[in-house]
Amino acid sequence: ARFAKNIEPLSVSVEGRADSPVLFFIHGWPDDERLWDKQVEHFRAQYKCMRITLPNFDRRSGKKAKPGAELWGYNFDELVDLIAATIRAHAGSEPVTLVIHDWGSVIGFTLQNLHPELVKRIVAVDVGSPTFLRPSVKQIPLMIFVGLYYMYWLALALLIARLVPVVGQRIGDFICCFNVRRFKGRLTYNPSGLDFSADCCYPYLYYHLNFWLTLLGIKKVIGKAGAKTDPSPSCPCMFVYGHKGLGKMFKKWSDKLAQRPECEVVELRGGHWVMLQSTDDFNTRVSAWLSKSK
């Protein structure tokens, strides 16, 4: 990581009962903390809800970066360091329940792997445990396929924004916004679907850099699970996915998870953003699992 000391915790939005267990929400691309509005509205009567916006995900198209911003974003080990510091600073001495989605799942599962004392339970949405295993040559075709399908384009958006003078930021923002509308359409909290910055695309760049550099032996595997064959978390976990989302890509993992009595796997109507598309069902099922997994 580029920083090992003096890590500044992220800003946290807090709602709910101050003396209650903490639900700690982590979003993915291209969202911010508003993704969880309906969940916080539902859970704040029983829990203390904490939300963060990942670094650079609060940038908007055409806006300049804040002074001191890390223009190239953060690798996943660095994001884990940031969030671990944030939990320690804001959540007290008790471990939290992570509610995670998309890249938030990558970060959240890695956090639990590296800092299990901070995480009591996990509710993962549509992206299963991607704890960084040692890459293999067999994975190369899949990495190239998902890269060409969309990930390389988003990594390219950041590269253009950073390396091309004068117009680079606008071009990068356009590529980012085009892909937002391609995959997600209109957001309930961002109706135009056009107000996004390339600055939030850094996870795609580091995800592929990590894969290739680790495969070539240049970089170490992130996390303590480098030699593991089972990336399942050691804590209780609920996996909720949309029937049209990405969840079925993690079927082998979720089938193993479902065999654990303290865990649960649920399919709901919807896609990758199933918490927005089946909000009531999502909130009800998660509430029931949280109540029985105390």
Side-chain angles (χ1 to χ4, degrees), residues 133-180:
L133 304 178
R134 195 170 303 282
S136 69
V137 174
K138 293 180 180 180
Q139 295 172 300
I140 291 177
L142 176 61
M143 292 297 287
I144 293 177
F145 172 76
V146 297
L148 291 173
Y149 185 60
Y150 77 103
M151 287 189 172
Y152 289 163
W153 298 105
L154 293 169
L156 180 64
L158 179 64
L159 290 172
I160 291 174
R162 290 292 164 268
L163 299 177
V164 176
V166 184
V167 298
Q169 186 70 55
R170 290 186 179 276
I171 295 173
D173 291 351
F174 173 82
I175 295 172
C176 178
C177 292
F178 174 82
N179 279 280
V180 170

Side-chain angles (χ1 to χ4, degrees), residues 80-101:
V80 166
D81 287 345
L82 280 170
I83 293 174
T86 303
I87 291 174
R88 291 190 178 103
H90 295 283
S93 59
E94 294 297 317
V96 304
T97 296
L98 296 179
V99 186
I100 52 182
H101 176 247

Side-chain angles (χ1 to χ4, degrees), residues 110-286:
T110 307
L111 173 71
Q112 197 277 328
N113 178 248
L114 291 172
H115 302 283
E117 74 282 359
L118 297 179
V119 181
K120 180 180 180 181
R121 299 172 295 192
I122 294 176
V123 177
V125 186
D126 210 57
V127 172
S129 178
T131 302
F132 292 96
L133 304 178
R134 195 170 303 282
S136 69
V137 174
K138 293 180 180 180
Q139 295 172 300
I140 291 177
L142 176 61
M143 292 297 287
I144 293 177
F145 172 76
V146 297
L148 291 173
Y149 185 60
Y150 77 103
M151 287 189 172
Y152 289 163
W153 298 105
L154 293 169
L156 180 64
L158 179 64
L159 290 172
I160 291 174
R162 290 292 164 268
L163 299 177
V164 176
V166 184
V167 298
Q169 186 70 55
R170 290 186 179 276
I171 295 173
D173 291 351
F174 173 82
I175 295 172
C176 178
C177 292
F178 174 82
N179 279 280
V180 170
R181 293 182 66 84
R182 176 186 171 198
F183 287 109
K184 192 169 183 179
R186 295 169 180 262
L187 302 174
T188 56
Y189 55 80
N190 193 337
S192 71
L194 295 173
D195 194 19
F196 293 91
S197 167
D199 293 15
C200 70
C201 295
Y202 61 85
Y204 297 96
L205 177 65
Y206 289 115
Y207 185 71
H208 286 272
L209 279 177
N210 291 342
F211 175 83
W212 292 107
L213 293 179
T214 306
L215 184 67
L216 295 172
I218 299 172
K219 182 180 175 63
K220 292 182 179 180
V221 175
I222 294 175
K224 298 176 182 177
K228 289 176 61 177
T229 57
D230 180 9
S232 297
S234 57
C235 65
C237 179
M238 182 182 194
F239 181 49
V240 186
Y241 64 94
H243 77 292
K244 292 184 177 180
L246 302 179
K248 292 179 181 178
M249 294 175 59
F250 303 91
K251 188 177 187 306
K252 184 176 179 180
W253 169 80
S254 64
D255 285 347
K256 288 184 178 180
L257 193 73
Q259 294 173 9
R260 293 167 51 182
E262 77 278 19
C263 299
E264 187 172 335
V265 176
V266 176
E267 179 184 274
L268 297 177
R269 300 285 300 176
H272 186 50
W273 284 267
V274 67
M275 76 289 274
L276 300 179
Q277 296 150 342
S278 290
T279 301
D280 291 341
D281 286 346
F282 178 90
N283 292 343
T284 299
R285 296 295 293 267
V286 172

